[in-house]
Protein backbone atom coordinates (compact mmCIF):
# COMPACT_ATOMS: atom_id res chain seq x y z
CA UNK A 1 0.00 0.00 0.00
CA UNK A 2 1.36 3.41 -0.91
CA UNK A 3 0.20 6.42 1.05
CA UNK A 4 0.87 10.10 0.70
CA UNK A 5 2.81 11.83 3.42
CA UNK A 6 -0.28 13.90 4.21
CA UNK A 7 -1.77 14.52 7.61
CA UNK A 8 -5.24 13.37 6.62
CA UNK A 9 -4.08 10.19 4.93
CA UNK A 10 -2.20 8.55 7.79
CA UNK A 11 -3.79 5.21 8.56
CA UNK A 12 -5.59 5.08 5.23
CA UNK A 13 -8.61 3.46 6.83
CA UNK A 14 -11.76 4.44 8.65
CA UNK A 15 -11.63 6.92 11.50
CA UNK A 16 -13.43 6.73 14.82
CA UNK A 17 -17.08 5.88 14.78
CA UNK A 18 -19.08 8.70 13.26
CA UNK A 19 -16.04 10.26 11.58
CA UNK A 20 -15.75 10.36 7.78
CA UNK A 21 -13.63 7.74 6.10
CA UNK A 22 -10.10 8.75 5.29
CA UNK A 23 -8.95 8.36 1.71
CA UNK A 24 -6.67 5.53 0.62
CA UNK A 25 -4.25 5.97 -2.25
CA UNK A 26 -3.06 3.41 -4.76
CA UNK A 27 -0.70 3.77 -7.73
CA UNK A 28 -2.25 2.78 -11.04
CA UNK A 29 0.92 1.73 -12.84
CA UNK A 30 0.39 4.82 -14.97
CA UNK A 31 3.11 7.40 -14.16
CA UNK A 32 0.65 10.19 -14.85
CA UNK A 33 -1.82 9.49 -12.06
CA UNK A 34 -2.66 8.10 -8.67
CA UNK A 35 -6.04 6.69 -7.71
CA UNK A 36 -7.92 7.81 -4.62
CA UNK A 37 -10.11 5.06 -3.21
CA UNK A 38 -13.29 6.06 -1.34
CA UNK A 39 -14.76 8.31 -3.99
CA UNK A 40 -17.28 9.69 -1.49
CA UNK A 41 -14.46 11.81 -0.02
CA UNK A 42 -14.30 15.12 -1.83
CA UNK A 43 -10.83 16.21 -3.02
CA UNK A 44 -11.37 19.44 -1.06
CA UNK A 45 -11.20 17.47 2.18
CA UNK A 46 -7.58 16.58 1.48
CA UNK A 47 -4.92 18.54 3.34
CA UNK A 48 -3.31 21.19 1.18
CA UNK A 49 0.25 20.83 2.47
CA UNK A 50 1.37 17.89 0.33
CA UNK A 51 4.88 19.20 -0.18
CA UNK A 52 7.82 17.28 1.15
CA UNK A 53 10.62 18.88 3.10
CA UNK A 54 14.05 18.57 1.56
CA UNK A 55 17.41 20.12 2.38
CA UNK A 56 19.53 21.48 -0.46
CA UNK A 57 23.08 20.26 -0.97
CA UNK A 58 25.34 22.18 1.36
CA UNK A 59 22.52 23.99 3.12
CA UNK A 60 20.84 23.71 6.53
CA UNK A 61 17.64 25.55 5.76
CA UNK A 62 14.81 23.31 4.59
CA UNK A 63 13.19 24.00 1.26
CA UNK A 64 9.99 22.63 -0.17
CA UNK A 65 9.85 20.42 -3.22
CA UNK A 66 6.88 20.46 -5.56
CA UNK A 67 6.93 16.69 -5.74
CA UNK A 68 4.22 14.63 -4.07
CA UNK A 69 6.34 11.88 -2.54
CA UNK A 70 4.40 8.78 -1.52
CA UNK A 71 5.05 7.57 2.01
CA UNK A 72 6.07 3.94 2.28
CA UNK A 73 5.23 1.41 4.93
CA UNK A 74 8.30 1.01 7.16
CA UNK A 75 10.34 -2.17 7.00
CA UNK A 76 8.99 -5.01 9.09
CA UNK A 77 5.31 -4.10 8.66
CA UNK A 78 4.28 -7.39 7.13
CA UNK A 79 5.26 -9.31 4.01
CA UNK A 80 2.12 -8.68 2.01
CA UNK A 81 3.38 -5.72 0.03
CA UNK A 82 4.11 -7.82 -3.02
CA UNK A 83 0.66 -9.36 -2.87
CA UNK A 84 -0.94 -5.94 -2.49
CA UNK A 85 1.28 -4.54 -5.21
CA UNK A 86 -0.14 -7.00 -7.74
CA UNK A 87 -3.44 -5.17 -7.57
CA UNK A 88 -1.99 -1.71 -8.08
CA UNK A 89 -2.79 -1.68 -11.78
CA UNK A 90 -6.49 -2.36 -11.14
CA UNK A 91 -8.46 0.85 -11.03
CA UNK A 92 -11.56 0.78 -8.80
CA UNK A 93 -14.79 1.69 -10.43
CA UNK A 94 -15.85 5.26 -9.79
CA UNK A 95 -12.43 6.29 -8.51
CA UNK A 96 -11.41 9.92 -8.57
CA UNK A 97 -8.10 10.81 -10.22
CA UNK A 98 -5.72 13.38 -8.84
CA UNK A 99 -2.79 14.51 -10.95
CA UNK A 100 0.30 14.96 -8.78
CA UNK A 101 2.65 17.87 -9.17
CA UNK A 102 5.49 17.11 -11.61
CA UNK A 103 8.82 16.10 -10.15
CA UNK A 104 11.16 19.04 -10.15
CA UNK A 105 14.45 18.81 -12.04
CA UNK A 106 16.89 21.52 -12.90
CA UNK A 107 18.94 19.42 -15.31
CA UNK A 108 17.95 17.27 -18.27
CA UNK A 109 14.70 16.41 -19.94
CA UNK A 110 12.05 13.85 -19.05
CA UNK A 111 12.37 10.35 -20.42
CA UNK A 112 10.65 9.87 -23.79
CA UNK A 113 8.19 6.96 -23.89
CA UNK A 114 9.39 3.60 -25.13
CA UNK A 115 8.29 3.38 -28.75
CA UNK A 116 7.93 -0.36 -29.26
CA UNK A 117 5.16 -2.05 -27.31
CA UNK A 118 4.87 -5.81 -27.06
CA UNK A 119 4.48 -8.45 -24.38
CA UNK A 120 7.13 -10.46 -22.63
CA UNK A 121 4.85 -13.49 -22.69
CA UNK A 122 4.72 -13.47 -26.50
CA UNK A 123 8.50 -13.18 -26.66
CA UNK A 124 8.93 -16.11 -24.26
CA UNK A 125 6.58 -18.22 -26.38
CA UNK A 126 8.62 -17.31 -29.46
CA UNK A 127 11.83 -18.38 -27.71
CA UNK A 128 10.38 -21.74 -26.62
CA UNK A 129 9.12 -22.35 -30.16
CA UNK A 130 12.57 -21.59 -31.59
CA UNK A 131 14.18 -23.85 -29.00
CA UNK A 132 11.90 -26.73 -29.98
CA UNK A 133 12.74 -26.22 -33.66
CA UNK A 134 16.50 -26.09 -33.09
CA UNK A 135 18.40 -29.17 -34.13
CA UNK A 136 20.22 -31.20 -31.52
CA UNK A 137 23.99 -31.40 -31.50
CA UNK A 138 26.78 -28.82 -31.51
CA UNK A 139 25.81 -27.43 -34.95
CA UNK A 140 22.26 -26.37 -34.01
CA UNK A 141 21.11 -23.14 -35.66
CA UNK A 142 20.74 -20.68 -32.79
CA UNK A 143 20.36 -17.45 -34.84
CA UNK A 144 16.56 -17.47 -34.38
CA UNK A 145 16.92 -17.68 -30.59
CA UNK A 146 19.49 -14.88 -30.62
CA UNK A 147 17.09 -12.72 -32.66
CA UNK A 148 14.37 -13.19 -30.05
CA UNK A 149 16.68 -12.05 -27.25
CA UNK A 150 17.88 -9.05 -29.27
CA UNK A 151 14.33 -7.89 -30.05
CA UNK A 152 13.42 -8.34 -26.38
CA UNK A 153 15.69 -5.39 -25.52
CA UNK A 154 13.09 -3.15 -27.17
CA UNK A 155 10.05 -4.40 -25.24
CA UNK A 156 8.01 -1.95 -23.19
CA UNK A 157 7.78 -3.42 -19.68
CA UNK A 158 5.67 -0.73 -18.03
CA UNK A 159 2.47 -2.79 -18.06
CA UNK A 160 3.95 -5.86 -16.36
CA UNK A 161 2.46 -6.80 -12.96
CA UNK A 162 4.55 -5.45 -10.10
CA UNK A 163 5.55 -8.91 -8.84
CA UNK A 164 6.91 -9.79 -12.27
CA UNK A 165 8.88 -6.53 -12.38
CA UNK A 166 10.40 -7.31 -9.00
CA UNK A 167 11.32 -10.82 -10.12
CA UNK A 168 12.97 -9.62 -13.35
CA UNK A 169 15.12 -7.19 -11.37
CA UNK A 170 15.81 -9.07 -8.13
CA UNK A 171 16.79 -12.27 -9.95
CA UNK A 172 19.73 -10.41 -11.49
CA UNK A 173 20.87 -8.67 -8.28
CA UNK A 174 23.20 -9.67 -5.47
CA UNK A 175 21.58 -7.23 -3.02
CA UNK A 176 18.18 -5.56 -2.85
CA UNK A 177 18.26 -3.28 0.19
CA UNK A 178 16.33 -2.81 2.40
CA UNK A 179 14.15 -5.53 0.78
CA UNK A 180 11.78 -6.70 -1.95
CA UNK A 181 8.71 -5.03 -0.44
CA UNK A 182 10.45 -1.66 -0.56
CA UNK A 183 11.56 -2.29 -4.15
CA UNK A 184 7.98 -3.15 -5.12
CA UNK A 185 6.79 0.07 -3.51
CA UNK A 186 9.31 2.23 -5.37
CA UNK A 187 8.64 0.54 -8.71
CA UNK A 188 4.96 1.36 -8.21
CA UNK A 189 5.61 5.08 -7.67
CA UNK A 190 4.74 7.50 -10.44
CA UNK A 191 7.86 9.35 -11.54
CA UNK A 192 10.34 7.08 -9.74
CA UNK A 193 13.99 7.66 -10.66
CA UNK A 194 17.03 5.44 -11.07
CA UNK A 195 20.61 6.61 -10.56
CA UNK A 196 23.55 5.05 -12.37
CA UNK A 197 26.95 6.66 -12.17
CA UNK A 198 30.38 6.12 -13.65
CA UNK A 199 33.82 7.53 -12.95
CA UNK A 200 35.53 7.61 -16.37
CA UNK A 201 38.93 6.37 -15.16
CA UNK A 202 39.78 4.44 -18.34
CA UNK A 203 39.11 4.67 -22.07
CA UNK A 204 38.37 0.96 -22.69
CA UNK A 205 35.11 -0.64 -21.54
CA UNK A 206 34.52 -4.39 -21.29
CA UNK A 207 31.52 -6.70 -20.85
CA UNK A 208 31.83 -6.69 -17.08
CA UNK A 209 31.14 -2.95 -17.05
CA UNK A 210 27.95 -3.51 -19.05
CA UNK A 211 26.22 -5.78 -16.49
CA UNK A 212 24.61 -3.08 -14.27
CA UNK A 213 23.74 -0.81 -17.18
CA UNK A 214 21.89 -3.67 -18.92
CA UNK A 215 19.72 -3.89 -15.80
CA UNK A 216 19.40 -0.10 -15.71
CA UNK A 217 17.96 -0.20 -19.24
CA UNK A 218 15.47 -2.86 -18.12
CA UNK A 219 14.33 -0.57 -15.30
CA UNK A 220 14.03 2.30 -17.79
CA UNK A 221 11.68 0.18 -19.88
CA UNK A 222 9.64 -0.44 -16.73
CA UNK A 223 8.95 3.30 -16.60
CA UNK A 224 11.73 4.69 -14.38
CA UNK A 225 13.54 7.88 -15.32
CA UNK A 226 17.28 7.22 -15.43
CA UNK A 227 19.73 9.80 -14.09
CA UNK A 228 23.08 8.96 -15.69
CA UNK A 229 25.88 10.61 -13.73
CA UNK A 230 29.41 11.21 -14.97
CA UNK A 231 31.63 11.61 -11.92
CA UNK A 232 33.95 14.25 -13.26
CA UNK A 233 34.64 15.33 -9.65
CA UNK A 234 34.74 11.88 -8.01
CA UNK A 235 36.94 10.52 -10.82
CA UNK A 236 39.62 12.97 -9.73
CA UNK A 237 39.53 11.38 -6.26
CA UNK A 238 39.43 7.80 -7.52
CA UNK A 239 37.06 5.14 -6.18
CA UNK A 240 39.06 3.20 -3.53
CA UNK A 241 36.72 0.17 -3.61
CA UNK A 242 38.73 -3.03 -3.76
CA UNK A 243 42.02 -1.20 -4.25
CA UNK A 244 45.19 -2.38 -2.54
CA UNK A 245 46.94 0.95 -3.13
CA UNK A 246 45.95 4.54 -3.76
CA UNK A 247 44.77 5.36 -7.28
CA UNK A 248 46.69 8.09 -9.15
CA UNK A 249 44.54 11.23 -9.43
CA UNK A 250 43.11 12.21 -12.80
CA UNK A 251 43.04 15.64 -14.39
CA UNK A 252 40.09 17.25 -16.15
CA UNK A 253 41.75 16.39 -19.45
CA UNK A 254 42.07 12.72 -18.45
CA UNK A 255 38.39 12.55 -17.55
CA UNK A 256 37.33 14.19 -20.84
CA UNK A 257 39.50 11.84 -22.90
CA UNK A 258 38.18 8.73 -21.14
CA UNK A 259 34.58 9.84 -21.49
CA UNK A 260 34.93 10.55 -25.20
CA UNK A 261 34.56 6.90 -26.23
CA UNK A 262 32.53 5.61 -23.28
CA UNK A 263 29.12 6.54 -24.67
CA UNK A 264 29.93 5.04 -28.05
CA UNK A 265 31.08 1.74 -26.54
CA UNK A 266 28.19 1.30 -24.08
CA UNK A 267 25.38 2.71 -26.26
CA UNK A 268 24.42 -0.71 -27.77
CA UNK A 269 23.23 -1.68 -24.27
CA UNK A 270 21.71 1.66 -23.25
CA UNK A 271 20.08 4.53 -25.16
CA UNK A 272 21.54 7.67 -23.62
CA UNK A 273 18.99 9.81 -25.47
CA UNK A 274 16.34 8.36 -23.14
CA UNK A 275 18.13 9.32 -19.92
CA UNK A 276 18.99 12.52 -18.10
CA UNK A 277 22.73 13.10 -18.42
CA UNK A 278 24.55 14.87 -15.57
CA UNK A 279 28.08 15.88 -14.58
CA UNK A 280 28.31 15.90 -10.80
CA UNK A 281 30.56 18.96 -10.90
CA UNK A 282 27.36 20.95 -11.49
CA UNK A 283 26.39 20.60 -7.83
CA UNK A 284 29.64 19.49 -6.15
CA UNK A 285 31.80 22.45 -7.14
CA UNK A 286 29.50 24.99 -5.41
CA UNK A 287 29.60 23.07 -2.09
CA UNK A 288 31.36 25.19 0.52
CA UNK A 289 33.67 23.97 3.26
CA UNK A 290 31.27 24.93 6.10
CA UNK A 291 28.47 23.00 4.38
CA UNK A 292 30.66 19.93 3.94
CA UNK A 293 31.93 20.06 7.52
CA UNK A 294 28.36 20.34 8.79
CA UNK A 295 27.52 17.09 7.01
CA UNK A 296 30.74 15.29 8.01
CA UNK A 297 30.08 16.10 11.66
CA UNK A 298 27.10 13.72 11.50
CA UNK A 299 28.95 10.85 9.78
CA UNK A 300 31.01 8.56 12.09
CA UNK A 301 34.54 7.70 10.95
CA UNK A 302 33.76 4.10 11.90
CA UNK A 303 31.47 3.84 8.85
CA UNK A 304 34.39 4.25 6.47
CA UNK A 305 36.84 2.21 8.54
CA UNK A 306 34.50 -0.81 8.42
CA UNK A 307 35.70 -1.36 4.86
CA UNK A 308 37.90 -4.43 4.55
CA UNK A 309 39.96 -2.89 1.74
CA UNK A 310 40.79 0.10 3.95
CA UNK A 311 41.75 -2.13 6.88
CA UNK A 312 44.04 -4.22 4.68
CA UNK A 313 45.77 -1.16 3.31
CA UNK A 314 46.29 0.28 6.78
CA UNK A 315 47.65 -3.05 8.08
CA UNK A 316 50.08 -3.39 5.18
CA UNK A 317 51.31 0.18 5.56
CA UNK A 318 49.96 1.24 2.15
CA UNK A 319 48.72 4.77 1.70
CA UNK A 320 45.14 5.84 2.39
CA UNK A 321 44.33 9.45 1.62
CA UNK A 322 41.68 11.58 3.29
CA UNK A 323 40.19 12.15 -0.17
CA UNK A 324 39.63 8.40 -0.55
CA UNK A 325 37.99 8.26 2.86
CA UNK A 326 35.60 11.01 1.78
CA UNK A 327 34.85 9.42 -1.60
CA UNK A 328 31.63 7.68 -0.51
CA UNK A 329 30.34 10.85 1.19
CA UNK A 330 30.98 12.91 -1.94
CA UNK A 331 29.27 10.22 -4.04
CA UNK A 332 26.32 10.34 -1.64
CA UNK A 333 25.81 14.03 -2.41
CA UNK A 334 24.85 12.97 -5.95
CA UNK A 335 21.95 10.92 -4.57
CA UNK A 336 20.95 13.74 -2.21
CA UNK A 337 20.97 16.33 -5.00
CA UNK A 338 18.84 14.20 -7.35
CA UNK A 339 16.60 12.82 -4.56
CA UNK A 340 17.25 9.35 -5.96
CA UNK A 341 14.67 6.58 -5.56
CA UNK A 342 16.80 3.60 -6.66
CA UNK A 343 20.52 3.27 -7.35
CA UNK A 344 22.19 0.43 -9.22
CA UNK A 345 25.85 -0.57 -9.41
CA UNK A 346 28.28 -3.44 -9.09
CA UNK A 347 28.59 -5.28 -5.81
CA UNK A 348 31.90 -3.50 -5.23
CA UNK A 349 29.85 -0.30 -4.81
CA UNK A 350 27.73 -1.67 -1.93
CA UNK A 351 29.48 0.27 0.85
CA UNK A 352 29.44 3.47 -1.19
CA UNK A 353 25.70 3.13 -1.79
CA UNK A 354 25.07 2.41 1.88
CA UNK A 355 26.72 5.74 2.60
CA UNK A 356 24.28 7.30 0.11
CA UNK A 357 21.41 6.00 2.21
CA UNK A 358 23.00 7.35 5.39
CA UNK A 359 23.60 10.83 3.96
CA UNK A 360 20.08 11.03 2.52
CA UNK A 361 18.67 10.08 5.90
CA UNK A 362 20.81 12.73 7.64
CA UNK A 363 19.42 15.33 5.26
CA UNK A 364 15.81 14.40 5.97
CA UNK A 365 15.29 12.51 2.70
CA UNK A 366 13.94 9.03 2.18
CA UNK A 367 16.97 6.78 1.56
CA UNK A 368 17.34 5.24 -1.86
CA UNK A 369 16.87 1.54 -2.64
CA UNK A 370 20.16 -0.26 -3.34
CA UNK A 371 20.54 -2.76 -6.18
CA UNK A 372 23.91 -4.44 -6.70
CA UNK A 373 24.92 -6.75 -9.54
CA UNK A 374 27.59 -9.45 -9.53
CA UNK A 375 31.09 -8.90 -10.87
CA UNK A 376 31.16 -11.57 -13.55
CA UNK A 377 34.07 -13.98 -13.71
CA UNK A 378 36.61 -13.60 -16.50
CA UNK A 379 36.60 -15.70 -19.65
CA UNK A 380 39.59 -17.78 -18.52
CA UNK A 381 37.53 -19.40 -15.76
CA UNK A 382 40.25 -18.83 -13.18
CA UNK A 383 37.78 -17.44 -10.65
CA UNK A 384 39.12 -13.88 -10.94
CA UNK A 385 36.65 -11.16 -11.93
CA UNK A 386 36.71 -9.88 -15.50
CA UNK A 387 39.31 -7.11 -15.72
CA UNK A 388 41.80 -5.58 -18.11
CA UNK A 389 44.67 -6.19 -15.71
CA UNK A 390 43.96 -9.95 -15.75
CA UNK A 391 43.58 -10.07 -19.53
CA UNK A 392 40.40 -12.16 -19.12
CA UNK A 393 37.96 -9.64 -20.58
CA UNK A 394 35.90 -9.00 -23.71
CA UNK A 395 36.43 -5.40 -24.94
CA UNK A 396 33.28 -3.75 -26.27
CA UNK A 397 35.29 -1.96 -28.97
CA UNK A 398 36.74 -5.20 -30.39
CA UNK A 399 35.80 -6.48 -33.88
CA UNK A 400 32.92 -8.99 -34.02
CA UNK A 401 35.19 -11.99 -34.64
CA UNK A 402 37.21 -11.23 -31.51
CA UNK A 403 34.09 -10.70 -29.37
CA UNK A 404 32.59 -13.98 -30.60
CA UNK A 405 35.84 -15.91 -30.22
CA UNK A 406 36.58 -14.65 -26.71
CA UNK A 407 33.10 -15.59 -25.51
CA UNK A 408 33.42 -19.04 -27.07
CA UNK A 409 36.52 -19.52 -24.89
CA UNK A 410 34.57 -19.35 -21.60
CA UNK A 411 34.16 -22.61 -19.65
CA UNK A 412 30.80 -24.36 -20.06
CA UNK A 413 29.93 -23.73 -16.40
CA UNK A 414 29.93 -19.95 -17.00
CA UNK A 415 27.51 -20.02 -19.95
CA UNK A 416 24.33 -19.83 -17.78
CA UNK A 417 25.93 -17.07 -15.68
CA UNK A 418 26.83 -14.99 -18.75
CA UNK A 419 23.41 -15.57 -20.34
CA UNK A 420 21.69 -14.25 -17.21
CA UNK A 421 23.97 -11.23 -16.84
CA UNK A 422 24.40 -10.15 -20.48
CA UNK A 423 21.14 -11.03 -22.26
CA UNK A 424 17.39 -10.65 -21.71
CA UNK A 425 16.84 -14.38 -21.24
CA UNK A 426 14.72 -15.46 -18.26
CA UNK A 427 15.68 -18.07 -15.67
CA UNK A 428 13.17 -20.60 -16.98
CA UNK A 429 14.52 -20.15 -20.53
CA UNK A 430 18.08 -20.69 -19.30
CA UNK A 431 17.02 -23.99 -17.73
CA UNK A 432 15.27 -25.06 -20.93
CA UNK A 433 18.15 -24.00 -23.18
CA UNK A 434 20.90 -25.68 -21.15
CA UNK A 435 18.80 -28.85 -20.85
CA UNK A 436 17.95 -29.18 -24.56
CA UNK A 437 20.89 -27.58 -26.38
CA UNK A 438 24.32 -29.13 -26.80
CA UNK A 439 26.83 -27.26 -24.57
CA UNK A 440 28.61 -25.95 -27.68
CA UNK A 441 25.30 -24.70 -29.14
CA UNK A 442 24.37 -23.00 -25.86
CA UNK A 443 27.74 -21.24 -25.86
CA UNK A 444 27.24 -20.14 -29.48
CA UNK A 445 23.83 -18.74 -28.48
CA UNK A 446 25.57 -16.62 -25.85
CA UNK A 447 28.31 -15.47 -28.22
CA UNK A 448 25.87 -14.72 -31.04
CA UNK A 449 23.43 -12.82 -28.79
CA UNK A 450 26.13 -10.56 -27.31
CA UNK A 451 27.90 -9.99 -30.64
CA UNK A 452 24.57 -9.16 -32.34
CA UNK A 453 23.84 -6.44 -29.78
CA UNK A 454 27.29 -4.91 -30.18
CA UNK A 455 27.84 -5.35 -33.93
CA UNK A 456 24.44 -6.21 -35.42
CA UNK A 457 23.01 -9.48 -36.68
CA UNK A 458 25.16 -9.53 -39.82
CA UNK A 459 28.31 -9.03 -37.77
CA UNK A 460 27.33 -11.88 -35.46
CA UNK A 461 26.57 -14.21 -38.38
CA UNK A 462 29.91 -13.42 -40.03
CA UNK A 463 31.78 -13.95 -36.74
CA UNK A 464 30.04 -17.29 -36.21
CA UNK A 465 30.88 -18.43 -39.74
CA UNK A 466 34.53 -17.45 -39.24
CA UNK A 467 34.67 -19.30 -35.93
CA UNK A 468 33.16 -22.43 -37.47
CA UNK A 469 35.64 -22.31 -40.35
CA UNK A 470 38.52 -22.20 -37.88
CA UNK A 471 37.29 -24.75 -35.36
CA UNK A 472 34.86 -27.10 -37.13
CA UNK A 473 35.70 -30.80 -37.28
CA UNK A 474 36.48 -30.47 -41.01
CA UNK A 475 39.06 -27.81 -40.22
CA UNK A 476 40.69 -29.96 -37.52
CA UNK A 477 41.89 -32.27 -40.28
CA UNK A 478 43.06 -29.36 -42.40
CA UNK A 479 44.75 -27.33 -39.67
CA UNK A 480 48.47 -27.64 -39.14
CA UNK A 481 48.22 -28.89 -35.56
CA UNK A 482 51.10 -29.88 -33.32
CA UNK A 483 51.46 -33.61 -32.75
CA UNK A 484 51.76 -34.91 -29.21
CA UNK A 485 53.22 -38.36 -28.53
CA UNK A 486 51.71 -39.70 -25.35
CA UNK A 487 53.83 -42.52 -24.11
CA UNK A 488 51.59 -45.11 -22.56
CA UNK A 489 54.39 -46.00 -20.17
CA UNK A 490 54.44 -42.53 -18.60
CA UNK A 491 53.72 -42.46 -14.90
CA UNK A 492 51.06 -39.79 -15.36
CA UNK A 493 49.27 -37.97 -18.16
CA UNK A 494 50.36 -34.69 -16.59
CA UNK A 495 54.05 -35.60 -16.90
CA UNK A 496 53.55 -36.74 -20.50
CA UNK A 497 51.84 -33.49 -21.48
CA UNK A 498 54.60 -31.34 -20.00
CA UNK A 499 57.33 -33.49 -21.54
CA UNK A 500 55.87 -33.72 -25.04
CA UNK A 501 53.84 -30.57 -25.58
CA UNK A 502 53.17 -28.15 -22.73
CA UNK A 503 56.60 -27.61 -21.27
CA UNK A 504 55.89 -23.88 -21.01
CA UNK A 505 52.89 -24.35 -18.72
CA UNK A 506 53.17 -25.13 -15.04
CA UNK A 507 51.74 -28.28 -13.45
CA UNK A 508 49.38 -26.12 -11.37
CA UNK A 509 48.09 -24.38 -14.52
CA UNK A 510 47.33 -27.66 -16.28
CA UNK A 511 45.60 -29.02 -13.16
CA UNK A 512 43.49 -25.85 -12.99
CA UNK A 513 42.40 -26.29 -16.62
CA UNK A 514 41.41 -29.90 -15.93
CA UNK A 515 39.48 -28.90 -12.80
CA UNK A 516 37.50 -26.37 -14.84
CA UNK A 517 36.65 -28.90 -17.57
CA UNK A 518 39.06 -27.53 -20.16
CA UNK A 519 41.08 -30.74 -20.70
CA UNK A 520 39.32 -32.89 -23.30
CA UNK A 521 39.85 -35.78 -25.68
CA UNK A 522 38.13 -35.26 -29.06
CA UNK A 523 37.43 -37.50 -32.05
CA UNK A 524 36.72 -36.72 -35.72
CA UNK A 525 32.97 -36.60 -35.02
CA UNK A 526 33.60 -33.75 -32.57
CA UNK A 527 32.66 -35.89 -29.59
CA UNK A 528 34.43 -34.78 -26.44
CA UNK A 529 35.49 -36.53 -23.25
CA UNK A 530 36.52 -34.46 -20.23
CA UNK A 531 39.61 -35.55 -18.32
CA UNK A 532 39.36 -34.75 -14.62
CA UNK A 533 42.16 -34.05 -12.14
CA UNK A 534 42.30 -37.64 -10.91
CA UNK A 535 42.75 -39.03 -14.42
CA UNK A 536 45.33 -36.33 -15.13
CA UNK A 537 47.44 -37.68 -12.27
CA UNK A 538 47.01 -41.30 -13.42
CA UNK A 539 48.78 -43.28 -16.17
CA UNK A 540 48.31 -42.27 -19.80
CA UNK A 541 46.88 -45.67 -20.76
CA UNK A 542 44.12 -45.37 -18.16
CA UNK A 543 43.17 -41.85 -19.24
CA UNK A 544 42.94 -42.82 -22.93
CA UNK A 545 41.03 -46.00 -22.10
CA UNK A 546 38.35 -44.05 -20.23
CA UNK A 547 37.20 -42.28 -23.41
CA UNK A 548 34.20 -44.02 -25.04
CA UNK A 549 35.81 -43.49 -28.47
CA UNK A 550 39.32 -43.62 -29.95
CA UNK A 551 40.68 -40.11 -29.25
CA UNK A 552 42.20 -38.20 -32.17
CA UNK A 553 42.79 -34.75 -30.69
CA UNK A 554 43.67 -33.34 -27.29
CA UNK A 555 42.41 -29.93 -26.16
CA UNK A 556 43.92 -28.04 -23.24
CA UNK A 557 41.93 -24.82 -22.94
CA UNK A 558 42.32 -23.06 -26.29
CA UNK A 559 45.27 -25.21 -27.40
CA UNK A 560 44.65 -28.19 -29.70
CA UNK A 561 47.04 -30.99 -30.67
CA UNK A 562 46.77 -34.19 -32.69
CA UNK A 563 47.50 -37.39 -30.78
CA UNK A 564 50.16 -39.50 -32.51
CA UNK A 565 48.96 -43.01 -33.23
Amino acid sequence: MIRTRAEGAVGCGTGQRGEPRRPRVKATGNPESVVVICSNVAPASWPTDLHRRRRPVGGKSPVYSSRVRPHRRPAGHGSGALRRARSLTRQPQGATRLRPCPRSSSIGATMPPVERRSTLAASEAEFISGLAAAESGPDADIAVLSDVLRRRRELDLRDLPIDMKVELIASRCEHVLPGLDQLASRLSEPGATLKFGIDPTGAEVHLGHAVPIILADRLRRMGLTVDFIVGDITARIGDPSGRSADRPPLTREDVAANLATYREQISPFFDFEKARFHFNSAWLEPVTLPDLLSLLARIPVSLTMQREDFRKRMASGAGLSMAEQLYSVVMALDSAELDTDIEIGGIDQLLNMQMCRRVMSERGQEPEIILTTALIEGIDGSGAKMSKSQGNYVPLAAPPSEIFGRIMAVPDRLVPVYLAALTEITDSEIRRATASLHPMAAKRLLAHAVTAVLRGREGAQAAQAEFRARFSRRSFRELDLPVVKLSRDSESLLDALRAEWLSGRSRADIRRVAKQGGLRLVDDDNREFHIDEESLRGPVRDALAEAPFPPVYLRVGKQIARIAR
Side-chain angles (χ1 to χ4, degrees), residues 148-386:
V148 174
L149 297 180
R150 181 169 51 86
R151 289 194 299 269
R152 194 175 292 177
R153 292 186 181 274
E154 305 172 5
L155 293 184
D156 186 343
L157 305 177
R158 287 177 292 185
D159 294 334
L160 289 179
I162 190 63
D163 54 346
M164 187 175 293
K165 289 182 180 180
V166 170
E167 180 183 356
L168 287 175
I169 299 304
S171 63
R172 298 296 179 262
C173 290
E174 293 293 304
H175 296 94
V176 176
L177 300 175
L180 297 181
D181 282 358
Q182 290 81 1
L183 176 61
S185 178
R186 295 286 174 104
L187 291 177
S188 304
E189 282 189 24
T193 61
L194 174 73
K195 170 190 164 188
F196 179 77
I198 64 159
D199 286 349
T201 55
E204 189 175 34
V205 185
H206 58 69
L207 272 180
H209 296 133
V211 173
I213 204 165
I214 289 172
L215 204 57
D217 185 69
R218 190 177 301 174
L219 284 159
R220 177 192 65 80
R221 290 182 286 119
M222 290 181 180
L224 274 69
T225 300
V226 179
D227 286 311
F228 189 92
I229 300 176
V230 177
D232 55 334
I233 292 290
T234 45
R236 289 179 238 166
I237 300 175
D239 183 4
S241 301
R243 305 286 297 185
S244 58
D246 54 343
R247 189 191 297 266
L250 299 179
T251 65
R252 290 178 183 268
E253 291 72 22
D254 294 331
V255 172
N258 292 338
L259 181 63
T261 60
Y262 179 88
R263 287 184 64 164
E264 181 181 355
Q265 293 179 66
I266 209 73
S267 59
F269 294 107
F270 187 84
D271 189 349
F272 288 96
E273 298 302 320
K274 295 177 180 177
R276 301 188 296 197
F277 205 78
H278 311 269
F279 290 85
N280 64 6
S281 58
W283 53 80
L284 291 181
E285 285 184 343
V287 175
T288 65
L289 182 59
D291 295 333
L292 181 59
L293 291 176
S294 175
L295 174 61
L296 293 177
R298 305 194 296 273
I299 305 297
V301 176
S302 58
L303 283 183
T304 59
M305 295 312 297
Q306 288 176 359
R307 301 173 62 120
E308 184 179 0
D309 46 4
F310 281 7
R311 294 198 303 270
K312 286 182 177 180
R313 286 169 63 175
M314 296 291 287
S316 64
L320 178 62
S321 69
M322 289 297 297
E324 289 179 299
Q325 268 201 299
L326 291 179
Y327 178 90
S328 60
V329 177
V330 176
M331 173 179 160
L333 292 178
D334 298 343
S335 297
E337 169 66 23
L338 297 175
D339 200 11
T340 298
D341 288 309
I342 302 173
E343 181 169 7
I344 189 168
I347 193 173
D348 57 337
Q349 296 298 308
L350 175 61
L351 295 176
N352 290 336
M353 289 191 282
Q354 287 178 326
M355 181 64 77
C356 292
R357 285 180 55 85
R358 175 61 182 264
V359 169
M360 293 181 76
S361 178
E362 289 291 339
R363 297 172 65 88
Q365 298 171 284
E366 283 197 68
E368 65 189 22
I369 301 295
I370 294 174
L371 303 178
T372 68
T373 58
L375 304 179
I376 60 173
E377 190 175 334
I379 60 175
D380 60 353
S382 65
K385 72 174 184 178
M386 183 178 290

Side-chain angles (χ1 to χ4, degrees), residues 61-81:
S61 301
V63 295
Y64 285 88
S65 168
S66 62
R67 180 186 180 195
V68 177
R69 181 66 171 260
H71 171 58
R72 302 172 189 86
R73 181 183 293 269
H77 278 58
S79 59

Side-chain angles (χ1 to χ4, degrees), residues 537-552:
R537 291 191 295 266
V540 172
R541 66 170 66 87
D542 292 348
L544 297 180
E546 288 179 7
F549 48 78
V552 180

Side-chain angles (χ1 to χ4, degrees), residues 431-451:
R431 289 190 292 270
R432 284 175 177 266
T434 53
S436 60
L437 291 177
H438 187 278
M440 184 61 69
K443 191 180 297 184
R444 281 194 300 106
L445 170 60
L446 168 66
H448 193 287
V450 173
T451 307

